[in-house]
Structure formats: structure tokens, C-alpha cells
Amino acid sequence: MPSKKKYIFSISNQKGGVGKTTTAINLGSFLADQGKKVLLIDLDPQANLSSGVGFSTKIDGNWQNANKAPYSSIYDVLTQEKNISEVFVTTDIKNLFLVPSHLSLAGAEIELASQLARESLLKKAIENFDEEFDYIFIDSPPSLGLLTINSLVAANKVIVPIQCEYFALEGLGQLIETVRMVKNLNSELELGGVILTMFDARTNLATQVVDEVRKYFKDLVFETVIPRNVRLSEAPSYGKPINLYDTKSSGASSYKKLAKEFSSRFV
Ligand SMILES: Nc1ncnc2c1ncn2[C@@H]1O[C@H](COP(=O)(O)OP(=O)(O)OP(=O)(O)O)[C@@H](O)[C@H]1O
Ligand SMILES: [Mg+2]
């Protein structure tokens, strides 16, 4: 792989609501703040990443008919109608770019099922995209279906956010098995890191989960733990990463710290 595409991260965990999208938005924007050139690829039909960085996925306040996308999106890339170069957009953050998603992507699993090399559509699109980035992040949906497989095949590292809650480790075996299977298609792929999210210092349980995850994944776990912070959950409704919404919040300082740790790990 050419060095300009050295770091392609798939942010994956088939468990829903563990902080995949929040991490893509805020880790991505603090890395961009550091001067890194970052591309976020929204591979989830929910398009939370797209709206979370201020991209309008609505027209006149309504969700569009799934078949009538009002803008070009990752859907057009996967169906090979468009190149990423025609679809990616700038955001309010300098150095931060987005390939938006659209609800029409929800049908992609079925529509692409008969495509040749359907697992490698995103990989091919990224290879054909002739622009340099320091980091590319792919935000995966909460499933292990064709979209997540595309995310894993396109990446060279998997980042797994884990919520500091009961059952945190449940289902991770399945994810790791999927990563192992994807290695047949993409031998470069490896686990790049585990991020502990939504830590609540008031509970013993959260501390126990942190210990358990560290014991299991060892050095792969980032030192920085992301606390539960209401400002992080409010920011997406304003279409803003936390560094534009509330710089002083604990959510902002923790994602800033994570971004520092991240760029020193992935130089
Ligand atoms: N550290 C945090 N503190 C408080 N709320 C958070 C935090 N991280 C995420 N949230 C909120 O929790 C919810 C789930 O987070 P997020 O959307 O990032 O998870 P996800 O893994 O991308 O979910 P999905 O699997 O549905 O794509 C969102 O409402 C988000 O705003
Ligand atoms: Mg998400």
C-alpha cells in the first residue's frame, strides 16, 4: 500500500451505541486540530457521523425518500456510480473531510449481494482515490454484515470502542473471529486499539470493566478513558464536534488527550 494511505482505521463493534460514531467525530476533529489531514467515511445508513460534523442529511427538515438522495454519498461510491473524489466534502473543521452517508445505504446489503467482489468495494474506491490523508476513519454500522465487512477489508487497523458497562466484552469474540476471517481477503488487517468509552467514575462496575478489558487486550487499550459526559451527547444535535461545542467539557479534554496518544502511537 502506498504510504499516503498508511493508516486506514475501521471503527467497529457490532454492539450498538458503544461510542463508535462519537469517537470518529471527536478523535477525528482533535487530530485535525493537531494539523493532521483526516478523512471520515460514514458507512452507517443512520448517517449519524455525517450529521454530527454538521453535514445536512435532510432537506426541508425531512428525511428524504430512501431512493432519492439529495446529495452524493458513500452509497453512490459502493454502487460504483461515483468516485470518492466526487463525493467527499469539507467540514467546519480545517483538515477534516467527510464522505457522507445516506439512508439509501440501508438497502445496499441486499443490492450489492450479487456484485462481484462485493466485500472489496470500499477498498477499491479508497485505492482509486488519489488524495493524501494522514488518517482515514471508517465508521461502521452496528452489525457484522456486508457494510462492516467492507469497512474491515478496506482498513489496515481495527479500532474497537468498548462501553464501560455490564456485558462490555460480550460479542467481542464474534468481532475478533470476523477480523480473522477478513484477513483472508486483507492480510494487513490487525487490531489497532481498544478505546474505553462512557466511563462513569461513580460506579464500581465501570472500574471492573476497565480492569477486565485491560487484562484481556493489554497494551492495545488506550491509556485515555473517555468519561460519560452529557456535552458529548448534546454536541451532535448542533452538528458540532465537541471542540467546537464545549472545549471546556471533560468530553473535550478526554478526546483531546486520546488524539495526542493516538498520533504518538500511529506516527
Ligand atoms: N462519552 C459519552 N458520554 C455521554 N454520551 C455519549 C458518550 N459517547 C457516546 N454518547 C452517546 O451515546 C449514544 C451512542 O453513541 P454513538 O452513537 O457514538 O455509538 P455508536 O456505537 O456509533 O452507535 P451505533 O451502533 O448505533 O452506530 C449517542 O447518543 C451518543 O451521543
Ligand atoms: Mg454509530
Side-chain angles (χ1 to χ4, degrees):
M1 185 175 289
S3 61
K4 64 179 183 174
K5 300 268 169 64
K6 199 162 109 191
Y7 288 126
I8 307 176
F9 299 94
S10 167
I11 304 185
S12 292
N13 185 340
Q14 79 274 23
K15 198 163 179 178
V18 297
K20 294 181 287 295
T21 303
T22 304
T23 296
I25 295 170
N26 297 303
L27 175 59
S29 62
F30 276 113
L31 286 167
D33 251 10
Q34 286 178 19
K36 307 287 184 199
K37 191 171 166 191
V38 178
L39 178 66
L40 303 176
I41 300 180
D42 191 350
L43 203 58
D44 188 341
Q46 298 176 100
N48 294 337
L49 171 61
S50 308
S51 52
V53 294
F55 183 88
S56 179
T57 55
K58 299 170 183 174
I59 280 190
D60 301 333
N62 292 310
W63 278 98
Q64 285 296 290
N65 177 314
N67 298 318
K68 280 193 261 159
Y71 54 84
S72 298
S73 74
I74 190 67
Y75 174 79
D76 306 296
V77 172
L78 295 182
T79 55
Q80 296 169 288
E81 304 278 320
K82 296 245 160 85
N83 296 317
I84 295 182
S85 58
E86 300 169 89
V87 171
F88 86 115
V89 295
T90 57
T91 69
D92 289 342
I93 303 241
K94 198 179 157 210
N95 299 324
L96 187 70
F97 300 83
L98 168 76
V99 176
S101 181
H102 181 265
L103 195 55
S104 53
L105 190 62
E109 303 252 353
I110 293 166
E111 287 168 43
L112 300 174
S114 60
Q115 278 268 341
L116 210 61
R118 58 186 178 274
E119 301 88 358
S120 311
L121 293 164
L122 183 61
K123 182 188 180 72
K124 220 172 84 193
I126 293 175
E127 278 170 1
N128 290 336
F129 181 37
D130 230 4
E131 174 123 2
E132 290 187 31
F133 291 92
D134 294 303
Y135 301 115
I136 298 178
F137 292 97
I138 309 165
D139 184 25
S140 310
S143 81
L144 290 173
L146 187 56
L147 290 171
T148 296
I149 302 289
N150 261 274
S151 172
L152 294 170
V153 171
N156 43 35
K157 307 225 179 297
V158 191
I159 299 290
V160 184
I162 295 182
Q163 190 180 351
C164 302
E165 292 259 323
Y166 201 52
F167 294 137
L169 287 165
E170 195 192 47
L172 284 179
Q174 226 180 333
L175 176 64
I176 286 161
E177 178 59 21
T178 306
V179 170
R180 210 180 56 77
M181 270 163 42
V182 166
K183 278 193 184 190
N184 292 328
L185 294 165
N186 170 18
S187 58
E188 277 188 322
L189 186 67
E190 60 180 14
L191 201 53
V194 170
I195 301 171
L196 291 157
T197 65
M198 294 183 238
F199 179 80
D200 185 345
R202 294 167 305 180
T203 73
N204 286 336
L205 176 67
T207 311
Q208 279 167 23
V209 170
V210 170
D211 291 346
E212 201 180 341
V213 171
R214 288 203 193 279
K215 208 161 112 192
Y216 189 76
F217 288 105
K218 306 203 166 61
D219 290 350
L220 278 171
V221 185
F222 284 92
E223 288 274 316
T224 311
V225 174
I226 306 299
R228 189 171 275 288
N229 173 228
V230 70
R231 306 300 269 170
L232 282 171
S233 58
E234 290 166 0
S237 57
Y238 296 90
K240 287 183 177 175
I242 196 70
N243 52 344
L244 292 188
Y245 180 64
D246 186 353
T247 352
K248 294 200 170 72
S249 61
S250 65
S253 56
S254 61
Y255 270 109
K256 186 172 185 177
K257 196 164 155 233
L258 179 69
K260 274 196 196 141
E261 198 187 339
F262 196 90
S263 57
S264 62
R265 194 185 280 199
F266 302 109
V267 184

